[in-house]
Amino acid sequence: MKRPLAGALTAALLGAAALTGLTANPATATGHTTATASAEAGKQTKAAAPDFAGTVALSNCSGSVVRVPQSQPTDPALVLSNGHCLESGMPDPGTVVVDEPSSRSFDLLDAGANEVGTLQATKIAYGTMTDTDASIYELSSTYEEIESEYGIEPLDIAPEHPTAGTNVTVVSGYWKDTYSCAIDGFAYQLEEGGWTQKDSIRYTPECQVIGGTSGSPLVDDATGQVVGVNNTTNENGEECTLNNPCEKDEAGNVTVHQGTGYAQQVYLFADCITTGNKIDLSLPECALPSP
């Protein structure tokens, strides 16, 4: 996964240089033996890149204020990021964090990537690196309070599985930068340093994501909905090591795509959130891993 940055001092020292672990590597094109987006996808006319409104900067990662279809304006707002961006560190394989108190703060951005305010968490509602790499923070502010004070609406989590060939943009609140490409396909399993994620979104090579982009929303250019959460890149061509995820198919065959970036599915959250924006892993359709 894209290891979290050490913080603002590191960013200042390295300027625009990417951190992925401790070094930066631009994405390079590689052949794919698993599902590949149609060549026509690259010929599609791309919509304007999504803006930064509703994205946030964490101390070491990126994130976004999000809602699911059943969320209400008076519900406590939610922030989406990666499980490996948790302030407590990367959860061990098999570990799921639920309803853990948190006082983490987030810098809220407007459309032009200007910091317009600070949002405060009350708890980590959900966090894991098992089957996915995602975290959801519950905030002390409601959606309507955030909109009233800052004029910022949340991003909508798409309730359906995305499709290959979709034009998408990684919107990084940490770097205040965007990375545009298409969904190349999906990895049955993504293995990295002892962690396993399922049904991961694979990018086409144009998304040269870097350290600090971890937790960024992956936005569908056409709909503006969040279809994934950016989380990792194979940096050095190594097989299944930290910062070098490999793909494993249903037959157990392993492939490595150096320079290729990945995101995790987020539509699952739509089936795991109930009244009051509360995570409920016992809901019949909820497929997120439980503690």
Side-chain angles (χ1 to χ4, degrees):
M1 72 289 306
K2 306 203 71 58
R3 193 178 299 172
L5 296 178
L9 177 59
T10 304
L13 290 172
L14 295 178
L19 286 182
T20 314
L22 294 176
T23 59
N25 290 298
T28 56
T30 56
H32 296 303
T33 56
T34 54
T36 303
S38 166
E40 292 302 312
K43 300 177 184 178
Q44 294 176 9
T45 300
K46 287 184 66 61
D51 62 35
F52 293 89
T55 62
V56 299
L58 286 68
S59 59
N60 58 352
C61 288
S62 301
S64 55
V65 180
V66 295
R67 64 187 171 196
V68 292
Q70 59 269 34
S71 299
Q72 298 299 310
T74 54
D75 288 341
L78 304 176
V79 163
L80 170 70
S81 190
N82 284 149
H84 78 258
C85 293
L86 292 175
E87 63 266 44
S88 54
M90 298 187 291
D92 290 335
T95 299
V96 178
V97 178
V98 177
D99 290 338
E100 181 175 295
S102 174
S103 58
R104 194 163 199 180
S105 61
F106 311 90
D107 294 327
L108 178 66
L109 306 186
D110 65 9
N114 302 298
E115 295 179 5
V116 295
T118 301
L119 304 177
Q120 197 74 39
T122 59
K123 66 179 179 180
I124 302 167
Y126 187 85
T128 192
M129 290 175 63
T130 298
D131 293 353
T132 184
D133 181 7
S135 60
I136 291 282
Y137 286 85
E138 184 176 304
L139 302 184
S140 59
S141 304
T142 66
Y143 295 118
E144 65 180 11
E145 287 171 341
I146 293 171
E147 184 174 2
S148 175
E149 185 168 359
Y150 305 112
I152 303 295
E153 295 185 6
L155 301 178
D156 292 308
I157 286 181
E160 305 294 338
H161 192 289
T163 59
T166 300
N167 288 324
V168 291
T169 300
V170 178
V171 186
S172 171
Y174 187 96
W175 287 113
K176 300 178 175 61
D177 203 357
T178 60
Y179 307 80
S180 295
C181 57
I183 294 177
D184 184 67
F186 305 93
Y188 177 71
Q189 287 186 350
L190 200 66
E191 306 279 348
E192 181 177 0
W195 286 275
T196 299
Q197 280 106 47
K198 298 178 180 178
D199 193 26
S200 301
I201 298 168
R202 183 196 312 112
Y203 304 146
T204 56
E206 295 80 14
C207 275
Q208 300 177 25
V209 291
I210 61 177
T213 64
S214 290
S216 300
L218 182 67
V219 180
D220 184 320
D221 289 355
T223 67
Q225 293 183 318
V226 179
V227 295
V229 57
N230 178 68
N231 80 305
T232 195
T233 298
N234 184 292
E235 296 182 1
N236 310 118
E238 296 177 7
E239 184 176 301
C240 313
T241 63
L242 189 65
N243 300 316
N244 291 281
C246 64
E247 296 186 24
K248 184 178 291 186
D249 66 17
E250 295 179 75
N253 299 309
V254 173
T255 56
V256 174
H257 305 300
Q258 183 175 359
T260 295
Y262 299 88
Q264 297 307 308
Q265 302 283 355
V266 294
Y267 75 94
L268 299 169
F269 283 106
D271 291 327
C272 299
I273 293 177
T274 188
T275 305
N277 251 8
K278 303 300 181 184
I279 298 285
D280 185 350
L281 302 176
S282 68
L283 292 173
E285 301 301 318
C286 182
L288 288 172
S290 299

